[in-house]
Amino acid sequence: MPEFQPGLVHIRTPTYKRPEALARALRSMIDQTWPHWVCDVYDDDPGQAARLVVAELGDPRIRYTANAPQLFASRNIDQCFSADNPHGAEFFCVVEDDNFILPEFCAANIALTRALKVEIVLRNQFIEEASGTARAWLSADGVLDGLFTEGLYDAADFRLSMLAGIGVSNGGLFWSVRARSPLEIGYPCTATLQEYLRTYSIAEPVYVAMESLAVWAENGEQTTRNSELSANYLRRELDLKRAVQALRQKIWSEATVAQRASFMTDARFTAPIAVRANHVGKALVGEGLNAYVPPAEALRLRARGLAIRLLGRLTPDFADFVASRDKLHRTAARA
């Protein structure tokens, strides 16, 4: 017998002082056509505003936990990707308090994992523009529309998507207890960097499902993701760009000759060539960049890349993270 309950989905929901948004997120779980789920709400508000929301909904599948001590946004989100399995679930996903899922989200993702025998699905998400305001609306396009096409990506190809965009979107990930990719990052960094690091952590095939069955909230001005960080905005941005640059250089160094040769025109990625050139140039990789952008633009991109390398900082924790994932990639490649 398996050490899990077949079909049980464990939803993890980090929250902080957004009771109305949280209620919407939790109601979207209650509305799922797949009824076999349990949700842990991790409340980072010392005033425990989410406790009343959970109590008023009165659904025994939703459990409340108050973080003590306070974790702040990035660590609260990161704990939701832990490999711990306290409920014996078969599947897992993360629904942040300002996001929500559509009724078929769980059922459709489970159907894909079973039909295709994959352990990770990356699901497209609508964008809620002006989220949290009276004029909020849903986009026609999804967050993955400018990056992927539908289909199965092996681990190396999926990681290569970081040179076309961000790769992983937290709210689109759906994985099984059998997944080998460690999705919890485990060291202090911004929540934005965590998504890049999760892309780099992928060590097995990922199915990208382009039908949007979840909603990601665009509300950067409301976010508390970086409130625990002492560095100012410019320092955070430079350090973020330096870490992303280093990750992209590692991915490029691990790519095959064929992958490098085809990347700029690979039809599986839908990012425009100008966007790919931007990332490749600033990462200081990519032979033959002048074939895709004017020489002056190629020079400008490389100059920006050099500035990022000079002014941005990498931490010892980052180096340890990369080393741990490199070991995982080597092991997976030999399997």
Side-chain angles (χ1 to χ4, degrees):
M1 294 290 291
E3 297 180 359
F4 56 82
Q5 299 180 56
L8 181 63
V9 182
H10 183 191
I11 307 171
R12 289 89 174 263
T13 297
T15 187
Y16 177 75
K17 292 187 177 181
R18 285 196 280 223
E20 292 181 0
L22 174 64
R24 180 180 69 169
L26 298 178
R27 284 195 295 268
S28 77
M29 300 170 201
I30 294 170
D31 290 341
Q32 289 295 293
T33 61
W34 187 267
H36 308 299
W37 55 267
V38 60
C39 174
D40 280 312
V41 175
Y42 299 105
D43 189 3
D44 212 45
D45 173 17
Q48 300 187 10
R51 185 183 291 276
L52 180 60
V53 175
V54 172
E56 288 182 340
L57 286 172
D59 192 311
R61 294 171 295 182
I62 304 173
R63 292 89 185 278
Y64 176 85
T65 298
N67 290 337
Q70 187 178 13
L71 297 178
F72 296 98
S74 59
R75 284 190 294 158
N76 197 21
I77 293 169
D78 197 34
Q79 73 167 338
C80 293
F81 289 91
S82 168
D84 292 344
N85 191 6
H87 306 297
E90 183 179 8
F91 300 104
F92 308 87
C93 63
V94 175
V95 180
E96 295 181 35
D97 58 0
D98 54 340
N99 299 339
F100 61 96
I101 51 180
L102 301 187
E104 292 294 330
F105 179 82
C106 289
N109 288 333
I110 291 171
L112 280 174
T113 65
R114 290 177 172 172
L116 301 176
K117 295 184 169 41
V118 295
E119 309 306 341
I120 301 179
V121 171
L122 180 63
R123 170 66 62 177
N124 207 358
Q125 301 161 275
F126 289 116
I127 302 169
E128 183 179 52
E129 306 284 358
S131 181
T133 73
R135 58 187 181 87
W137 76 95
L138 290 187
S139 64
D141 299 327
V143 298
L144 302 182
D145 286 3
L147 179 55
F148 291 105
T149 56
E150 176 106 9
L152 186 66
Y153 292 73
D154 69 28
D157 283 338
F158 187 83
R159 295 195 298 268
L160 198 60
S161 71
M162 200 190 298
L163 282 145
I166 194 171
V168 158
S169 175
N170 284 341
L173 277 173
F174 190 92
W175 68 101
S176 87
V177 70
R178 296 169 292 273
R180 293 178 287 112
S181 303
L183 298 174
E184 184 178 20
I185 303 309
Y187 87 84
C189 65
T190 67
T192 301
L193 180 55
Q194 283 178 9
E195 290 185 305
Y196 287 99
L197 298 177
R198 285 193 184 96
T199 305
Y200 193 69
S201 297
I202 295 298
E204 62 205 290
V206 175
Y207 189 85
V208 176
M210 294 302 294
E211 181 184 7
S212 294
L213 292 176
V215 178
W216 174 76
E218 174 59 76
N219 57 5
E221 72 282 356
Q222 303 170 34
T223 187
T224 59
R225 280 184 164 203
N226 300 316
S227 59
E228 76 272 30
L229 303 177
S230 58
N232 62 33
Y233 174 80
L234 179 59
R235 170 48 56 196
R236 291 200 307 268
E237 284 298 297
L238 284 170
D239 291 350
L240 169 64
K241 291 181 185 299
R242 179 67 184 101
V244 172
Q245 180 188 67
L247 288 171
R248 285 172 169 158
Q249 289 172 338
K250 284 290 297 179
I251 289 167
W252 193 260
S253 72
E254 295 169 353
T256 66
V257 172
Q259 285 173 319
R260 295 182 193 179
S262 65
F263 171 72
M264 293 296 288
T265 56
D266 189 337
R268 291 174 304 167
F269 302 121
T270 57
I273 287 178
V275 172
R276 303 185 209 195
N278 180 65
H279 296 322
V280 164
K282 289 191 297 183
L284 304 177
V285 299
E287 300 84 349
L289 187 59
N290 286 355
Y292 301 100
V293 296
E297 176 65 6
L299 184 62
R300 185 188 70 83
L301 291 171
R302 302 240 185 249
R304 288 190 64 185
L306 288 169
I308 290 168
R309 188 168 69 183
L310 177 65
L311 299 174
R313 304 175 305 187
L314 297 176
T315 67
D317 285 334
F318 176 83
D320 291 342
F321 166 84
V322 171
S324 71
R325 297 314 192 254
D326 286 350
K327 181 178 180 180
L328 177 70
H329 296 168
R330 290 193 297 271
T331 301
R334 290 195 296 266

